[in-house]
Amino acid sequence: MLTDVRSAMKGLFFPQEQGCPICGRRGSQRHICQICLEEWAELADGFLPCAKCGRFKKAEAGETTCQECRENEPPYAIARCVAPYDGSLRDALHSFKFSGRRELAYPLGELIASLVASLFPYRLLAAVIPVPLHENRLQERGFNQALLLAEVVNRMLRIPLVPNALIRSRETHSQTSLSREQRHSNLKGAFEAGEDALPLQGKAVLLADDVYTTGATVQECSKALINAGVKEIYVAALAAGILTSP
Amino acid sequence: MPPFVLIASTFALGIIISELNRGRWVWAAVAGAAIFLAAGIWYYQRGKRYSFIWLPLCLLCLGYAWMGIHSVSFPQQLNPFLGHFVQVEGAVANLPSVYPNRLVFVLEEPVVSLDKERWQGNEKLEVVYYFIAAEEAVDESASSQQTGTAGSTSSSVDNRTTGSNNKLVITGAGGTEIEAEHLRSKLLPGDAVRVEGFLELTETALSPGEFDYRAYLERRGIIAQVQGKGIPEVMSQRQGLSSVWAGLRLRIENSINTTLPRDESFFLQEILLGSKEGMTPDDRDIYQRTGVMHLFAVSGLHLGFVFAALIAAAGFLGLRRIPTFFMVTVGIWGYAALIDFTPPVTRAAVMVTFGLAAYLWQQRKNSMNFLALAALVLLLINPSLLFDPGFQLSFTATWGIIYLAISLNRHIPLPAGIREAITVPLAAQLAILPLIATYFNQVAILGLLANILVVPLAGFVVYLGVVGMLLAAAAPALFNPFFLAAGALSIPIKGLLGILAELPGAAFFVPPPPLWLYLLWFGILLLFGWALREGFTVSFPHFRFRSAATSWVMPSLLVLTLCLILICTGIWRGSSGQLEVTFLNVGQGDSILVRTPAGRTMLVDAGGSPAYLNTSFDPGRQVVVPALARAGIKELDLVVNSHPHEDHLGGIPAVLDNIKVGRYVAPPIEHVTPQALQVQQLLEEKEIPVNYIHSGAEIKLDPAVKISVLGPPETLFSGTRSDTNNNSLILHIAYGEVSFLLTGDVEREGMLDLTERMQKGRTAMEISADILKCPHHGSSYSICPEFAAAVRPRIVVVSVGNNNFGHPSTETIYFWQEQGAQVLRTDQEGNITLATDGAELSVAN
């Protein structure tokens, strides 16, 4: 009882400000603070995104695209990410996805929206489509992180959200322990376009995800959408891996 | 939102609603508060999500009820005592203030008696003893009954200053005398005293925008004034904390007075103790024009130094947490007690106390929360303070500093310390701008520069002064080196401010902004502050992240600039498209403002106090210039002087000094007085063209309005009762079917002559008018049936104030009423505005 009164008094006279959702610094309330963002911008220092898949590669290389994209061109138009999947951005994504901090969706989604607004012709996009999560995984986690991010993009840029344009048709193994080739085969035919994708025929859409690692998921999704008649696909994610090969 | 911000603002909203409907439903509000509280608790215990919304509703009701309970008004039972010579016993509430012409103090729990009648109440009374200069009292003993409009009144035959060595003296019944300063030191707070004098209501504002002294006193629980006669009698002295504190203040003042010459001593007392008694109207003008008036309200700047000194002392003594807290708090609140807990110092003291607690106990310091808490504390003590300009200015300025200065800092690439010297005054000035426009009708454009230059110097004065005060309290030596140094610094400060105030365009007069402009201004400030604080850009190698707030910086800055232009120019008023004639309430005298449909302006006379009254009241400075400012007039196309008597000419120098004047017009009368010479000199200095005109002339101000000059005749009057009065300029103003006749102080001879000239038709002229300015303040010399028959006015305006000439005479009033005219008096109605579109006429005041 006494401690209740004490903490109530403390809250009344010396209230805690929420602060930055990542680092807790004061001054910024619902948004990621400047300092955290500068840290993430620094992660990308010295790298340039591949012109196609958006993964980060050493800036000095002559080619604009990465070797992988040159050998095997992905079916989507362009993919872009905010920063390399590293450091405190990786921590932030982990606490968003695995520690259930759903409230991070808004400040992180803002970043994707800003990325889309500055790099893609976003006014032409007919839909924002989240990469779907399988039913079992959804029950385990409670939410689809890509959907939450897509919702923010929808709200900020007024691109219609079409959450069921893609459907996961079969359960797949967790991707984390698999190599690049294994991932591709693991996902083969795992996605198909839903009925909601019908009106999107001949249009350009945005595919939203949290992390772009090997690109297997996004490529499979893109194939499914193209098969359903979608004309052009733009991909936006929060983080991407760093390419070691040129 | 910090909790106390929500609590204090809903409480304040309740107070505002209570004031708007005069707190009629106090008990309903109490019941409402109880119901909302119960509902909140009930919903909370049931775990409902929005149970917290009941709390603000409860606080709103509490604010309403609190204001309703606390508002003070004049008790009806005291009515029979008004205007009578009464005896009052009560306790002195504060140390008396000695102004150049009066001594003032407040009595608590007064017992008023008149013969056998008695009244006792909890309300307070203000007691005033006026001094008048001895020689004038003898010369013009009949004229000592005068009351001006701005509280600087004098009405005493008993009290006077004796000419020798300029000491202010109050004389008792038996010829005994007591010096004002000596009397002051005898009347300590808590002492029971008996005073005798006339019980009067104080001046109230008759026109909107004027300073309402009665309301100001009522907010402090003071309901009426006793104009004291004789010497107050101290019946019993009480030794208490307040008398000890008053003694300490006297000791400090004494030390300042003995150390420094008069002017420097006043300045130091103003800045250290917030006393306004020695501030001359000229000083006040300079401080207002440079936006540094806040230095003379003891607040955060002062307490900051006390705080720093005490913290350093505690560190030096190696004190632990609780003793440190105790020592600093006692010091801070002791200083606050020394200046009688004015709103700014109490605000600062609350904030410093909680800031210190947060620091010592390692809690998060949330200044906005402390600010709101301080507001709540003050409003709980006295809810009426919410409507007090001092309270509003102090809190708004602090809000601006907390909310805006930190945001501004991020965008100014200067080292910390120097940066704050710019951002803090900038933030404060932005926040209080509309309030200053409302209360002082001024925008100090150079205020920012003046503050940047002067605040550090003033800080040094305060720093030296605080140390000096400690020394004076400990050892009341005759000589105090700290006061000497602080006093010496006042010379560059006043010099600098004097130069800045004289710069052209340092400040200009503005009309009070309307409510919508207030809301827009603070809305935009909120948006601007937020955009500055949260707006940033981070560059990634492949794109640029702009936070959501970034895109609001420029638009809000743009709208802010637009609002600033609106407030400064007053163009939001637009033009009414009407002819407006305003009779300003300048006390005894004339001042008439004419504004044509096209917005051209003409001022006829500007009031003035006769020199023999020896009053500091200047209607030009105190009534006409502010009224012009409120009307949004920065430039007068024409200033007319009807005739060169003091009550018409006296205010004109202040008008010429403050307002740009296009042309000056007067009748061709020789009248050599110092005042006339002063006007002459000012006209030459400002290179204002002058015309001396008489009957037959026409003033071309606006093509839609015909202004003809009907008097004086070409051959001036001589040998009448008053030639100067009879030779007044007479103006006939016609717009469409509505016309005005302004007659100056013309008397019977002039009126007859005018009527005859019109009847003979020697000059083609029209003298019939719908509205007549009653000649000569309604004196009995201005009754002329022939004139009345020729003019046939519907409305007669008498411009009059308290005087000894018997103006207006009852005879004159009856005369015009018998003629079927409606009589309006400026001493009863305040400013009277007559507006017409050429057909319809409307009266407002």
Side-chain angles (χ1 to χ4, degrees):
Chain A
M1 180 66 196
L2 198 67
T3 52
D4 268 8
V5 171
R6 269 181 76 156
S7 75
M9 282 295 150
K10 218 173 112 172
L12 197 60
F13 287 94
F14 310 107
Q16 295 281 333
E17 241 177 64
Q18 253 174 351
C20 166
I22 305 294
C23 65
R25 273 191 200 89
R26 293 170 76 188
S28 142
Q29 298 254 310
R30 292 166 60 221
H31 313 277
I32 298 172
C33 71
Q34 190 173 5
I35 295 160
C36 285
L37 279 176
E38 271 164 0
E39 216 176 296
W40 294 356
E42 232 162 77
L43 292 176
D45 240 13
F47 296 104
L48 269 182
C50 158
K52 187 74 185 175
C53 69
R55 279 178 292 179
F56 294 92
K57 60 193 200 65
K58 283 271 184 298
E60 67 265 21
E63 301 280 352
T64 52
T65 50
C66 65
Q67 197 183 359
E68 245 183 83
C69 290
R70 269 175 278 148
E71 284 167 1
N72 187 8
E73 198 185 336
Y76 51 75
I78 316 173
R80 280 293 178 270
C81 309
V82 173
Y85 188 49
D86 205 358
S88 62
L89 174 58
R90 186 210 294 264
D91 299 340
L93 274 167
H94 272 252
S95 53
F96 173 44
K97 274 164 69 176
F98 306 123
S99 319
R101 287 192 61 193
R102 295 178 62 143
E103 75 276 9
L104 288 181
Y106 181 78
L108 292 174
E110 261 187 331
L111 293 178
I112 296 188
S114 170
L115 178 84
V116 170
S118 55
L119 296 178
F120 298 159
Y122 73 96
R123 281 174 218 279
L124 304 176
L125 299 176
V128 50
I129 301 166
V131 169
L133 198 62
H134 198 274
E135 196 68 29
N136 298 356
R137 191 70 59 78
L138 188 64
Q139 272 180 0
E140 185 187 309
R141 188 171 296 167
F143 60 93
N144 176 0
Q145 71 280 2
L147 175 62
L148 294 186
L149 294 173
E151 276 170 358
V152 179
V153 174
N154 153 260
R155 217 161 40 181
M156 294 193 65
L157 301 181
R158 320 256 156 187
I159 305 171
L161 177 68
V162 188
N164 295 323
L166 282 169
I167 294 163
R168 210 171 255 248
S169 42
R170 66 178 171 82
E171 174 79 24
T172 53
H173 304 287
S174 170
Q175 297 272 82
T176 29
S177 55
L178 302 180
S179 72
R180 199 167 68 82
E181 286 75 20
Q182 285 171 316
R183 285 185 181 200
H184 275 280
S185 56
N186 180 32
L187 286 172
K188 207 136 217 129
F191 301 98
E192 58 186 51
E195 264 176 47
D196 289 355
L198 284 177
L200 300 175
Q201 281 182 356
K203 301 233 169 94
V205 300
L206 176 72
L207 193 59
D209 203 358
D210 53 340
V211 189
Y212 187 111
T213 341
T214 58
T217 318
V218 167
Q219 288 186 24
E220 284 303 317
C221 288
S222 302
K223 274 179 205 159
L225 284 172
I226 283 169
N227 287 342
V230 171
K231 195 178 103 200
E232 215 172 6
I233 295 156
Y234 292 89
V235 182
L238 264 175
I242 295 174
L243 291 163
T244 41
S245 57
Chain B
M1 196 191 284
F4 277 114
V5 173
L6 185 71
I7 295 171
S9 46
T10 44
F11 192 76
L13 191 63
I15 292 175
I16 293 171
I17 296 171
S18 186
E19 175 76 4
L20 287 179
N21 88 343
R22 292 165 202 287
R24 264 172 284 189
W25 310 310
V26 168
W27 297 112
V30 172
I35 290 166
F36 288 137
L37 185 65
I41 292 170
W42 192 76
Y43 275 102
Y44 179 74
Q45 286 188 331
R46 243 143 255 260
K48 299 268 197 232
R49 257 184 92 184
Y50 293 105
S51 55
F52 60 84
I53 64 151
W54 297 100
L55 193 63
L57 286 172
C58 171
L59 286 160
L60 190 87
C61 289
L62 280 180
Y64 184 99
W66 198 246
M67 179 66 187
I69 294 165
H70 275 256
S71 67
V72 169
S73 59
F74 188 81
Q76 290 308 310
Q77 300 90 305
L78 203 51
N79 252 333
F81 295 85
L82 274 181
H84 290 285
F85 192 84
V86 295
Q87 281 198 333
V88 185
E89 285 174 24
V92 177
N94 63 344
L95 209 54
S97 313
V98 180
Y99 292 90
N101 68 339
R102 65 198 191 277
L103 177 140
V104 184
F105 61 93
V106 175
L107 273 188
E108 282 176 325
E109 294 170 7
V111 182
V112 182
S113 38
L114 169 65
D115 299 332
K116 291 194 180 64
E117 307 258 356
R118 272 162 63 89
W119 176 86
Q120 193 165 1
N122 286 323
E123 292 87 349
K124 298 174 197 163
L125 292 175
E126 187 183 68
V127 185
V128 185
Y129 285 92
Y130 282 103
F131 324 122
I132 57 164
E135 310 92 271
E136 277 91 351
V138 178
D139 292 346
E140 292 281 349
S141 53
S143 63
S144 57
Q145 285 283 341
Q146 186 271 350
T147 322
T149 50
S152 59
T153 57
S154 112
S155 71
S156 135
V157 281
D158 300 339
N159 314 327
R160 54 200 175 95
T161 53
T162 42
S164 64
N165 65 14
N166 226 5
K167 289 245 195 278
L168 301 171
V169 169
I170 292 176
T171 315
T176 48
E177 288 187 341
I178 183 164
E179 203 185 308
E181 281 298 335
H182 181 59
L183 176 62
R184 177 166 187 257
S185 60
K186 280 179 69 184
L187 293 174
L188 295 183
D191 290 355
V193 294
R194 179 191 289 139
V195 299
E196 291 183 332
F198 291 99
L199 187 71
E200 308 276 1
L201 282 177
T202 47
E203 293 288 339
T204 185
L206 288 171
S207 310
E210 282 178 353
F211 178 65
D212 192 336
Y213 190 57
R214 194 184 295 174
Y216 169 85
L217 289 182
E218 271 176 6
R219 284 196 292 270
R220 284 155 180 76
I222 300 168
I223 47 162
Q225 198 178 56
V226 179
Q227 302 210 345
K229 305 287 176 210
I231 296 174
E233 181 190 340
V234 178
M235 300 190 311
S236 67
Q237 295 206 312
R238 206 190 66 196
Q239 289 296 317
L241 201 56
S242 55
S243 61
V244 169
W245 232 249
L248 187 62
R249 182 172 170 138
L250 282 172
R251 198 188 265 192
I252 291 168
E253 285 176 359
N254 208 25
S255 172
I256 295 177
N257 280 333
T258 49
T259 309
L260 291 170
R262 197 180 132 88
D263 281 3
E264 285 70 28
S265 150
F266 274 142
F267 182 82
L268 199 58
Q269 288 183 37
E270 280 156 20
I271 210 165
L272 283 183
L273 302 170
S275 56
K276 299 273 189 289
E277 293 95 308
M279 198 180 279
T280 64
D282 285 332
D283 285 348
R284 194 179 287 269
D285 264 7
I286 290 175
Y287 301 149
Q288 274 176 11
R289 281 178 70 82
T290 49
V292 296
M293 209 58 181
H294 63 94
L295 290 177
F296 307 104
V298 176
S299 63
L301 178 72
H302 305 70
L303 290 192
F305 282 110
V306 178
F307 176 80
L310 290 172
I311 281 284
F316 182 72
L317 295 172
L319 292 183
R320 296 163 63 112
R321 229 160 39 180
I322 292 174
T324 304
F325 182 74
F326 201 68
M327 187 174 108
V328 176
T329 318
V330 167
I332 296 283
W333 287 95
Y335 195 0
L338 212 53
I339 23 235
D340 235 1
F341 300 107
T342 56
V345 83
T346 314
R347 189 220 87 226
V350 170
M351 289 182 74
V352 170
T353 307
F354 279 92
L356 178 66
Y359 168 74
L360 289 176
W361 279 274
Q362 276 135 37
Q363 296 294 327
R364 280 274 170 89
K365 189 181 118 198
N366 188 323
S367 305
M368 202 59 99
N369 201 37
F370 298 157
L371 178 70
L373 176 63
L376 189 68
V377 167
L378 276 163
L379 292 178
L380 282 174
I381 295 168
N382 181 1
S384 318
L385 281 179
L386 188 61
F387 306 101
D388 191 64
F391 177 94
Q392 293 173 355
L393 286 168
S394 177
F395 276 90
T396 315
T398 315
W399 170 82
I401 291 168
I402 296 171
Y403 187 77
L404 285 174
I406 297 157
S407 314
L408 285 166
N409 277 344
R410 287 190 46 221
H411 296 258
I412 292 184
L414 282 174
I418 298 172
R419 201 171 56 185
E420 275 76 11
I422 297 169
T423 54
V424 168
L426 177 62
Q429 297 272 327
L430 281 176
I432 61 174
L433 187 93
L435 291 169
I436 296 282
T438 299
Y439 292 125
F440 303 115
N441 299 119
Q442 254 182 21
V443 173
I445 290 297
L446 286 182
L448 186 60
L449 180 67
N451 273 289
I452 292 168
L453 294 176
V454 165
V455 169
L457 278 177
F460 212 54
V461 172
V462 172
Y463 177 72
L464 290 167
V466 164
V467 181
M469 291 201 307
L470 288 174
L471 183 67
L478 282 180
F479 177 75
N480 192 319
F482 294 100
F483 286 152
L484 186 70
L489 267 176
S490 79
I491 296 164
I493 291 179
K494 284 181 97 167
L496 200 58
L497 291 176
I499 293 168
L500 286 170
E502 282 303 310
L503 289 179
F508 50 83
F509 291 103
V510 296
L515 184 64
W516 65 264
L517 201 47
Y518 259 91
L519 295 177
L520 187 60
W521 178 260
F522 285 108
I524 287 296
L525 271 191
L526 275 170
L527 185 66
F528 183 59
W530 168 77
L532 278 186
R533 197 178 59 233
E534 310 227 326
F536 60 85
T537 309
V538 174
S539 295
F540 286 81
H542 53 305
F543 85 110
R544 203 181 260 258
F545 176 82
R546 287 153 49 91
S547 69
T550 319
S551 52
W552 289 100
V553 176
M554 276 305 144
S556 59
L557 187 61
L558 197 76
V559 180
L560 195 67
T561 317
L562 196 76
C563 287
L564 188 68
I565 293 170
L566 280 178
I567 291 176
C568 291
T569 56
I571 49 170
W572 48 267
R573 295 173 66 89
S575 168
S576 65
Q578 292 193 321
L579 174 70
E580 285 174 19
V581 178
T582 303
F583 296 83
L584 296 169
N585 176 22
V586 287
Q588 176 69 8
D590 267 16
S591 185
I592 302 144
L593 175 66
V594 179
R595 188 188 256 199
T596 71
R600 308 290 307 263
T601 48
M602 169 169 88
L603 181 73
V604 183
D605 296 339
S609 299
Y612 62 76
L613 282 179
N614 194 34
T615 157
S616 62
F617 176 61
D618 174 2
R621 193 207 290 256
Q622 283 159 263
V623 180
V624 181
V625 172
L628 290 174
R630 283 197 296 275
I633 293 171
K634 290 188 186 56
E635 200 180 325
L636 284 166
D637 295 300
L638 186 64
V639 170
V640 178
N641 175 232
S642 68
H643 66 292
H645 274 156
E646 283 158 324
D647 55 339
H648 297 250
L649 186 68
I652 285 183
V655 173
L656 296 180
D657 261 336
N658 287 295
I659 310 264
K660 204 177 152 206
V661 173
R663 185 173 288 276
Y664 183 82
V665 164
I669 308 175
E670 283 287 325
H671 190 81
V672 186
T673 58
Q675 212 160 45
L677 290 174
Q678 189 194 356
V679 171
Q680 197 67 43
Q681 200 182 343
L682 270 171
L683 288 169
E684 278 163 25
E685 221 171 81
K686 309 232 168 206
E687 293 172 2
I688 298 167
V690 183
N691 293 84
Y692 296 102
I693 55 172
H694 53 74
S695 164
E698 192 168 317
I699 295 172
K700 293 205 166 82
L701 194 63
D702 185 331
V705 180
K706 188 173 185 240
I707 306 175
S708 9
V709 180
L710 307 186
E714 234 164 297
T715 43
L716 296 180
F717 286 101
S718 66
T720 57
R721 198 196 75 89
S722 165
D723 291 341
T724 310
N725 278 350
N726 276 318
N727 286 326
S728 288
L729 269 185
I730 300 170
L731 301 181
H732 187 267
I733 304 172
Y735 177 50
E737 295 161 20
V738 181
S739 52
F740 298 78
L741 188 63
L742 309 182
T743 54
D745 275 1
V746 76
E747 295 181 6
R748 207 179 140 75
E749 295 94 332
M751 291 158 86
L752 262 177
D753 171 71
L754 183 63
T755 322
E756 267 172 33
R757 275 191 289 141
M758 184 210 67
Q759 281 162 353
K760 285 182 186 157
R762 244 183 303 177
T763 40
M765 59 182 191
E766 178 75 56
I767 76 163
S768 78
D770 302 278
I771 298 102
L772 170 72
K773 192 217 76 109
C774 186
H776 201 192
H777 323 288
S779 97
S780 50
Y781 300 110
S782 64
I783 298 179
C784 177
E786 295 87 343
F787 176 78
V791 178
R792 297 185 313 279
R794 277 193 280 156
I795 294 173
V796 174
V797 180
V798 186
S799 187
V800 70
N802 255 308
N803 65 82
N804 312 305
F805 309 111
H807 294 171
S809 85
T810 353
E811 233 181 307
T812 313
I813 303 285
Y814 278 140
F815 172 75
W816 285 115
Q817 278 167 348
E818 261 169 40
Q819 301 287 319
Q822 183 190 356
V823 177
L824 298 172
R825 296 169 53 167
T826 57
D827 61 339
Q828 288 172 351
E829 313 273 333
N831 298 347
I832 299 166
T833 299
L834 297 143
T836 176
D837 55 3
E840 298 291 316
L841 180 74
S842 64
V843 184
N845 60 338

